[in-house]
């Protein structure tokens, strides 16, 4: 079983915490060139951007895209190093349960979603030409194609290896341990605390202090969590029958599926479109993460998710851009409509993704949905052995 390939005695959950920190560190190193380039440009112009969308417009869009994607090259390298040398696993084990990667699945998923995306964009342009303008410039577009074809699949593959591969197996591993559920509780609680503190402190200080303010918010959030932990421990909440029953019910595949989906979605909270349309857009991102997680578990491998995610980001980057999107590109079209979060959220998550699940299930003859999505995790070692680590 794919999700259980990382559940081994020699891979306790603390390794996934350390491994995640190492991957974040690798990604941060990869962001340094972009940060330096933006800083140098703003120092010359004397103007500082006031939001994330402004940051993306400081540099020429192709250069900005290249430097942004560079961080994912470092991150993917970090993922592979952590998997191979820290966890002593093969990359194949985190990719699929099959004896080798099934590239036909990758290309089928890529092709299917590419056709759908292209058709949707062209239909929108035909039905609502006032919402899109022709943005095609041959040389910048050719450069975009070169950058996009090479680096965007690296970006999407990095996210898939982290969320549907590494963390999916890591959370499956950790769900065996009683303290893991406590970690989930505090991780979930951290998000609303962080959002509330950020809403209180945002726009109170100049942009040049933004990184320092983020560190202060993180510090205050963690401090509050320690206070909450002190109170809960004082009243022996984690020794109650309620918590014990909750822990016993959490040792199944639904936990890693939901955890990776929620984390994947909330990681997009700093995207420029969130500022334009509000946090309701997170429903789309979390829903997309849930869809990718389901097809990974049902198909016993990441191939379909890898193809879908690459098509979604690459084709969109080549076809359409906007002033408020996360990726600013020299695309064929430019969306000039006033962004809104309505049917654009509901239709993909609640209509299109379920139809895709039905199509994939028919093509690849999926069965036993309940067991694959919510069944107990079958460990390669006994519970006692893992708890004694």
């Amino acid at each position: 079983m794919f999700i259980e390939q990382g559940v081994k005695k020699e891979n306790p959950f603390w390794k996934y915490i350390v491994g995640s920190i190492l991957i974040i560190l690798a990604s941060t190193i990869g962001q340094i060139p972009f940060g330096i380039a933006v800083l140098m440009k703003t120092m010359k112009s004397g103007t500082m951007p006031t939001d994330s969308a402004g940051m993306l417009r400081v540099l020429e869009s192709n250069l900005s895209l290249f430097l942004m994607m560079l961080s994912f090259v470092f991150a993917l390298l970090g993922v592979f190093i952590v998997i191979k040398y820290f966890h002593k696993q093969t990359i194949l084990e985190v990719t699929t349960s099959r004896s080798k990667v099934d590239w036909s699945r990758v290309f089928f998923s890529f092709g299917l979603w590419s056709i759908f995306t292209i058709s949707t964009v062209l239909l929108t342009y035909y039905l609502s030409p006032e919402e899109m303008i022709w943005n095609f410039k041959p040389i910048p577009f050719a450069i975009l194609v070169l950058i996009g074809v090479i680096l965007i699949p690296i970006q999407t593959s990095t996210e898939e290896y982290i969320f549907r591969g590494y963390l999916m197996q890591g959370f499956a591993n950790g769900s065996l341990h009683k303290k893991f559920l406590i970690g989930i509780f505090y991780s979930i609680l951290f998000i609303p605390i962080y959002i509330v503190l950020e809403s209180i402190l945002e726009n109170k200080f100049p942009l040049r202090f933004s990184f320092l303010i983020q560190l202060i918010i993180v510090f205050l959030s963690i401090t509050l969590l320690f206070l909450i932990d002190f109170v809960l421990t004082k009243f022996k909440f984690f020794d109650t029958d309620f918590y014990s029953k909750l822990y016993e019910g959490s040792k199944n595949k639904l936990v890693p599926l939901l955890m990776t989906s929620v984390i994947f979605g909330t990681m997009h909270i700093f995207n420029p479109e969130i500022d334009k349309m509000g946090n309701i857009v997170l429903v789309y991102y979390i829903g997309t993460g849930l869809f990718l997680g389901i097809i990974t578990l049902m198909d016993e491998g990441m191939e379909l998710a890898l193809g879908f995610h690459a098509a979604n980001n690459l084709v969109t980057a080549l076809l359409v851009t906007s002033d408020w999107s996360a990726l600013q590109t020299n695309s064929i079209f430019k969306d000039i409509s006033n962004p809104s979060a309505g049917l654009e959220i509901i239709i993909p998550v609640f209509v299109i993704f379920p139809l895709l699940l039905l199509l994939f299930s028919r093509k690849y003859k999926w069965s036993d949905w309940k067991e694959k999505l919510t069944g107990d995790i079958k460990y390669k070692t006994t519970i006692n052995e893992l708890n004694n680590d």
Side-chain angles (χ1 to χ4, degrees):
M1 302 292 281
F2 169 73
I3 196 172
E4 293 151 355
Q5 289 183 156
V7 183
K8 302 175 182 178
K9 182 179 179 181
E10 59 271 23
N11 272 336
F13 186 67
W14 67 263
K15 279 194 170 186
Y16 287 92
I17 297 175
V18 175
S20 297
I21 294 172
L22 293 175
I23 293 168
I24 292 172
L25 179 61
S27 176
T28 302
I29 293 172
Q31 293 171 19
I32 292 175
F34 178 75
I36 292 175
V38 170
L39 181 62
M40 291 178 64
K41 187 68 178 289
T42 53
M43 288 176 65
K44 286 182 179 179
S45 64
T47 58
M48 290 289 290
T50 58
D51 53 25
S52 56
M55 288 281 289
L56 297 175
R57 290 194 293 267
V58 170
L59 305 173
E60 191 277 326
S61 61
N62 280 333
L63 176 60
S64 182
L65 178 66
F66 172 77
L67 293 175
M68 284 177 60
M69 294 296 103
L70 197 60
S71 68
F72 291 97
V73 175
F74 281 77
L76 186 60
L77 182 61
V79 171
F80 287 168
I81 290 174
V82 166
I83 290 171
K84 185 173 181 180
Y85 297 103
F86 193 55
H87 291 275
K88 308 298 182 182
Q89 285 183 269
T90 64
I91 305 304
L92 183 65
E93 285 181 302
V94 187
T95 308
T96 183
S97 60
R98 286 168 272 275
S99 59
K100 60 180 180 179
V101 176
D102 187 348
W103 288 102
S104 67
R105 278 173 154 84
V106 177
F107 292 129
F108 175 77
S109 182
F110 181 91
L112 178 67
W113 194 243
S114 294
I115 292 171
F116 178 85
T117 304
I118 293 170
S119 302
T120 302
V121 171
L122 293 179
L123 184 63
T124 302
Y125 181 68
Y126 176 76
L127 295 177
S128 305
E130 72 281 359
E131 295 185 355
M132 281 191 179
I133 60 174
W134 186 256
N135 190 55
F136 179 72
K137 299 182 182 73
I139 295 178
F141 180 75
I143 297 172
L144 169 64
V145 171
L146 181 63
I147 295 172
V149 168
I150 296 173
L151 292 181
I152 290 180
I154 291 177
Q155 176 237 330
T156 57
S157 296
T158 301
E159 294 184 1
E160 289 309 304
Y161 270 101
I162 290 173
F163 290 101
R164 257 61 66 179
Y166 184 69
L167 289 181
M168 183 83 80
Q169 293 182 0
F171 287 137
N173 196 325
S175 66
L176 180 62
H177 303 276
K178 196 169 184 178
K179 290 183 179 179
F180 172 73
L181 192 59
I182 301 174
I184 292 178
F185 172 75
Y186 288 129
S187 297
I188 295 174
L189 195 58
F190 175 86
I191 295 170
I193 291 175
Y194 182 91
I195 292 174
V196 170
L197 289 175
E198 185 184 43
S199 66
I200 294 173
L201 294 176
E202 67 178 352
N203 301 325
K204 299 290 192 302
F205 301 91
L207 184 64
R208 63 180 179 273
F209 296 124
S210 61
F211 180 71
L212 178 61
I213 297 305
Q214 295 297 325
L215 288 179
I216 293 173
I217 294 172
V218 170
F219 174 77
L220 291 175
S221 300
I222 294 173
T223 302
L224 284 174
L225 288 178
F226 274 115
L227 291 174
I228 293 170
D229 179 68
F230 175 79
V231 173
L232 292 176
T233 303
K234 185 76 173 177
F235 287 95
K236 299 182 178 180
F237 170 75
F238 300 115
D239 295 326
T240 61
D241 290 338
F242 171 77
Y243 182 79
S244 296
K245 291 178 180 178
L246 194 63
Y247 161 66
E248 289 300 325
S250 68
K251 295 186 289 186
N252 64 69
K253 298 170 187 175
L254 188 61
V255 170
L257 172 61
L258 293 178
M259 283 295 297
T260 52
S261 301
V262 171
I263 296 173
F264 174 79
T266 53
M267 286 290 287
H268 293 80
I269 197 169
F270 299 111
N271 282 16
E273 55 264 33
I274 301 295
D275 294 333
K276 287 289 184 179
M277 293 181 280
N279 289 334
I280 188 65
V281 182
L282 293 178
V283 172
Y284 170 77
Y285 287 122
I286 293 173
T288 302
L290 186 61
F291 166 72
L292 293 170
I294 290 173
I295 63 177
T296 297
L297 291 181
M298 290 305 303
D299 202 49
E300 297 290 357
M302 290 199 309
E303 290 97 336
L304 295 176
L306 286 167
F308 175 93
H309 202 160
N312 185 72
N313 287 28
L314 176 59
V315 176
T316 301
L318 295 178
L319 280 183
V320 61
T321 189
S322 67
D323 290 334
W324 43 266
S325 60
L327 289 180
Q328 304 285 308
T329 64
N330 289 295
S331 58
I332 296 175
F333 300 104
K334 184 173 183 178
D335 186 348
I336 58 173
S337 65
N338 188 29
S340 61
L343 293 178
E344 298 90 343
I345 304 297
I346 296 173
I347 292 178
V349 174
F350 298 103
V351 178
I352 297 172
F353 290 167
L355 289 175
L356 283 175
L357 287 175
L358 180 62
L359 189 154
F360 285 142
S361 68
R362 293 287 181 86
K363 179 174 176 59
Y364 297 110
K365 298 179 173 57
W366 292 346
S367 61
D368 204 5
W369 287 67
K370 184 177 180 180
E371 170 60 30
K372 288 185 177 180
L373 298 180
T374 65
D376 292 337
I377 296 172
K378 299 176 178 65
Y379 293 93
K380 294 183 179 180
T381 53
T382 67
I383 293 178
N384 288 334
E385 285 177 325
L386 281 176
N387 279 333
N388 287 334
D389 286 344

